[in-house]
Amino acid sequence: MPTIKIDGREIPFESGDTIIRAAHRAGIDIPHYCWHPGLSVAANCRMCLVEVLPPPGRPAMSLDILRWDPAKQDYVPAAKPKLQPACQMACASGMEVLSESSDHVSEARSAVQELLLLNHPVDCPICDQAGECRLQDYWLEHQRKGKRMRQEPVHKPKAVTFGPTIVYDAERCIVCTRCIRVCNELARDPVLSVRERGNLGEITVSPGRELDHNYTLMTEHVCPVGALTSRDFRFKARVWFLRSARTVCQGCATGCNAYLDYDPRNNTPYRHRPRENMAVNTYWMCDEGMLSYRRAVEGRLLTALVGNDDASVEDALAAAKEQLGGHADDPSKVAIVLSAQHSNEDNFALYHLATTYLGATDFFVSGKPLGQGDDILISEDKNPNTRGAVQIAAATPPRPVAELLQGIASGQYAYVVALGSDLEVDAVEAQRALSRLKGVVTIAAHEGPLAKAARVSLPACSWAEAEGTYVNRKGLAQRSERALLPHGDARPAWELIGRLGRTLGYATGWKTLAELRRAMPPGAVAGGAAAPEAVIGAAPPAHAAAAATAIADGSRVEPKKTEATA
């Protein structure tokens, strides 16, 4: 593979690479504002200027710059090499580049910083970007000088509502045009543009339009300064108080890799943002996915329910034993409902209890109904683990919940043990059907049709409160980390299922996540061995999109601050 040298360090590059892309891949940070690895090159901020040394025997391109000569008491030409934007300069084999080791480059970057800050307001104490602002970071790295301009700065509109999700502050904007390129190239909706020139330039929305497509929050995410702010996160938290967990988006079957930012002091999530994974979501997430973090704490089932009354988990387990007391007389009367909303670990725990001890043979899978999708990221399947739930029960393929209701109506089932609370069928119809049964027990994280219809409900952790594995529509098994401490009486669903089994008198011996994962089939846990053919070949149910056929490891290494996470 051909190589270039950056500050004496030899790094490889691929065909078509620019200097900054090769450096980015090698972990070398060349300062920049307008460049983004997932967008086209604009080359308008000039922060990434570097010095490209000429090949031996060829003179350097020069730029005549005047300097003061004390001996002549006059300005004289001082030839300096012409600097090149690293985002636009293509790599060539044997090229030598100076970035941090060139005084000329340092002077240029300092000048660019000074130019960008001439009219920039001192909003840092109230700006949401404070703590992760490139203007702040690069001022410390490349300028460290006070402001020399004493004139009144140019004033522009502040707190302009661009649409339902985004607020714009033109005075903070450096017109890097990243937001425009996100709309044009990712969302394919060219609703933003630049008006005016020079220090009067600002971003504007097309007349008669709003910024309201499915990727509006990405315009805020890629903004390197505090010009674009999310109405959801605006003024909610300071970033230096937040911690991040590597998660999998729960909004649909795409399974976008994400960071969940939360404050450990009050155990509250504040935002979801994309995490780079070139095999799944590259650098992006949709608005629905970035706002899906709310469900980690909203609409929760936080106490056990017996009937409609609050109860302790122990009392609820005892009531569940009474509810399911007659199941042993005829195991064929027991129906098991797996959940496309819950992790592989939760689904395996229920499947293991059902097949090994309860003797159940009829399995169903529940989840949210189909919704709108697109050909960018959004899947019509609004469940994060449809494929995982189906693969767990591959030996006894689960059927849609609509068939369960038909079976109940015909008297085929008397008992139901369910995971989750979401149903893709009519909630009233489901509750009417479930009310005819002798026993209905659900383990759920949220209030929903199944939880309301159950005689006994056990409070499970949400996806943000328990580590788990989710299989996306492509068949990638991806691990999501725990971020929050469990709220209320919630416990991981797999733990509650184990306790339910022991209450019923069975040896469901797993008490830790590691013990449970050792019992799971290979490939059902992210980072495990390849899945056996029986698990790989399982097809998703009718309401899920067709997916690829292999389970692969989609887990990520320790995150570093890259373009996608900055």
Side-chain angles (χ1 to χ4, degrees):
M1 182 177 287
T3 62
I4 63 173
K5 283 186 178 180
I6 299 181
D7 293 329
R9 176 181 167 184
E10 195 168 282
I11 63 170
F13 69 91
E14 299 174 1
S15 178
D17 272 352
T18 57
I19 294 172
I20 198 170
R21 183 174 291 278
H24 176 73
R25 191 181 295 114
I28 298 174
D29 181 36
I30 295 178
H32 58 276
Y33 289 108
C34 67
W35 181 79
H36 187 283
L39 299 173
S40 61
V41 173
N44 60 15
C45 76
R46 285 312 198 248
M47 192 65 193
C48 68
L49 291 173
V50 293
E51 184 177 341
V52 180
L53 298 181
R58 184 181 299 176
M61 294 178 64
S62 65
L63 188 67
D64 286 338
I65 299 175
L66 296 179
R67 65 175 178 82
W68 179 256
D69 187 334
K72 296 184 178 180
Q73 291 293 299
D74 197 3
Y75 288 97
V76 297
K80 290 190 177 182
K82 185 178 180 181
L83 303 182
Q84 305 289 340
C87 65
Q88 202 174 42
M89 187 71 178
C91 292
S93 183
M95 176 184 286
E96 291 194 36
V97 178
L98 301 183
S99 177
E100 300 297 330
S101 59
S102 169
D103 292 337
H104 185 23
V105 170
S106 298
E107 291 174 12
R109 290 174 181 172
S110 178
V112 169
Q113 274 292 112
E114 185 174 23
L115 177 64
L116 293 176
L117 291 171
L118 284 181
N119 294 296
H120 200 83
V122 188
D123 277 353
C124 300
I126 60 168
C127 179
D128 274 330
Q129 197 76 3
E132 52 187 7
C133 175
R134 299 225 162 176
L135 282 170
Q136 291 177 341
D137 296 342
Y138 290 160
W139 183 89
L140 286 171
E141 292 177 22
H142 303 287
Q143 188 182 4
R144 295 204 177 200
K145 295 178 182 177
K147 194 170 183 178
R148 292 188 290 172
M149 189 183 82
R150 300 304 176 195
Q151 291 85 359
E152 182 71 12
V154 175
H155 293 289
K156 300 177 184 178
K158 298 182 75 69
V160 179
T161 299
F162 269 11
T165 61
I166 298 297
V167 174
Y168 175 63
D169 189 320
E171 287 189 348
R172 299 175 187 167
C173 183
I174 61 172
V175 199
C176 69
T177 71
R178 279 185 175 189
C179 55
I180 296 175
R181 285 173 281 152
V182 164
C183 292
N184 294 355
E185 299 166 18
L186 174 65
R188 304 166 193 167
D189 182 18
V191 67
L192 298 182
S193 60
V194 180
R195 70 178 175 197
E196 301 295 347
R197 297 180 180 182
N199 59 5
L200 298 179
E202 61 183 87
I203 305 298
T204 185
V205 183
S206 298
R209 288 290 311 276
E210 280 190 327
L211 182 60
D212 60 355
H213 52 68
N214 290 328
Y215 298 88
T216 61
L217 291 175
M218 285 311 308
T219 64
E220 180 272 334
H221 177 71
V222 301
C223 182
V225 295
L228 293 174
T229 51
S230 160
R231 297 178 73 173
D232 175 69
F233 182 69
R234 186 176 169 90
F235 303 140
K236 295 285 179 64
R238 283 302 194 181
V239 297
W240 48 81
F241 291 128
L242 302 182
R243 300 294 179 267
S244 299
R246 297 173 296 183
T247 59
V248 174
C249 176
Q250 305 291 298
C252 74
T254 301
C256 292
N257 287 216
Y259 288 111
L260 179 64
D261 292 338
Y262 64 98
D263 191 336
R265 300 174 303 169
N266 56 14
N267 201 34
T268 301
Y270 283 98
R271 65 180 182 181
H272 224 184
R273 54 192 175 91
R275 175 165 54 96
E276 179 183 332
N277 187 331
M278 302 307 292
V280 182
N281 56 308
T282 61
Y283 313 98
W284 316 117
M285 282 178 70
C286 69
D287 288 0
E288 183 180 354
M290 292 183 75
L291 296 176
S292 66
Y293 76 91
R294 298 171 178 172
R295 198 163 187 258
V297 293
E298 292 179 355
R300 293 291 306 282
L301 179 67
L302 297 179
T303 61
L305 297 177
V306 176
N308 292 321
D309 300 324
D310 292 346
S312 67
V313 173
E314 289 73 17
D315 290 343
L317 288 170
K321 182 178 181 180
E322 292 182 14
Q323 281 280 305
L324 302 175
H327 77 278
D329 298 334
D330 189 357
S332 66
K333 292 287 187 180
V334 180
I336 303 298
V337 181
L338 303 177
S339 175
Q341 284 283 314
H342 279 256
S343 67
N344 274 5
E345 289 80 359
D346 297 343
N347 281 289
F348 173 78
L350 182 55
Y351 182 76
H352 182 74
L353 173 65
T355 55
T356 306
Y357 301 110
L358 299 183
T361 57
D362 289 345
F363 290 83
F364 304 87
V365 61
S366 69
K368 291 183 177 180
L370 290 175
Q372 290 186 340
D374 63 22
D375 59 352
I376 304 172
L377 282 179
I378 305 174
S379 172
E380 292 180 352
D381 182 1
K382 300 304 176 183
N383 302 287
N385 200 35
T386 299
R387 181 152 184 168
V390 172
Q391 289 173 341
I392 288 294
T396 51
R399 294 171 282 160
V401 170
E403 295 188 25
L404 170 63
L405 302 187
Q406 294 172 6
I408 293 173
S410 65
Q412 183 177 354
Y413 304 112
Y415 306 93
V416 167
V417 182
L419 180 62
S421 61
D422 295 296
L423 292 172
E424 62 267 24
V425 297
D426 181 72
V428 175
E429 179 187 354
Q431 291 179 22
R432 187 183 300 119
L434 292 169
S435 66
R436 303 172 188 166
L437 300 176
K438 293 181 180 179
V440 182
V441 176
T442 186
I443 303 96
H446 296 88
E447 299 172 345
L450 267 175
K452 291 178 180 177
R455 315 287 174 78
V456 178
S457 299
L458 297 172
C461 288
S462 71
W463 60 273
E465 297 169 341
E467 187 174 312
T469 301
Y470 299 85
V471 181
N472 74 352
R473 63 184 178 182
K474 293 182 179 180
L476 296 173
Q478 304 182 110
R479 185 170 297 179
S480 183
E481 294 179 345
R482 180 184 70 81
L484 308 176
L485 297 175
H487 288 76
D489 294 333
R491 297 301 305 160
W494 58 263
E495 181 182 318
L496 292 172
I497 293 167
R499 291 175 65 180
L500 174 62
R502 290 190 290 274
T503 301
L504 294 173
Y506 304 124
T508 47
W510 62 81
K511 294 183 180 180
T512 67
L513 186 60
E515 291 176 356
L516 177 68
R517 283 176 167 166
R518 282 195 292 269
M520 293 175 68
V525 181
E533 195 62 30
V535 176
I536 292 176
H543 71 276
T549 57
I551 296 179
D553 179 13
S555 59
R556 302 292 290 166
V557 298
E558 285 294 326
K560 61 183 180 181
K561 190 172 183 180
T562 65
E563 187 63 37
T565 63

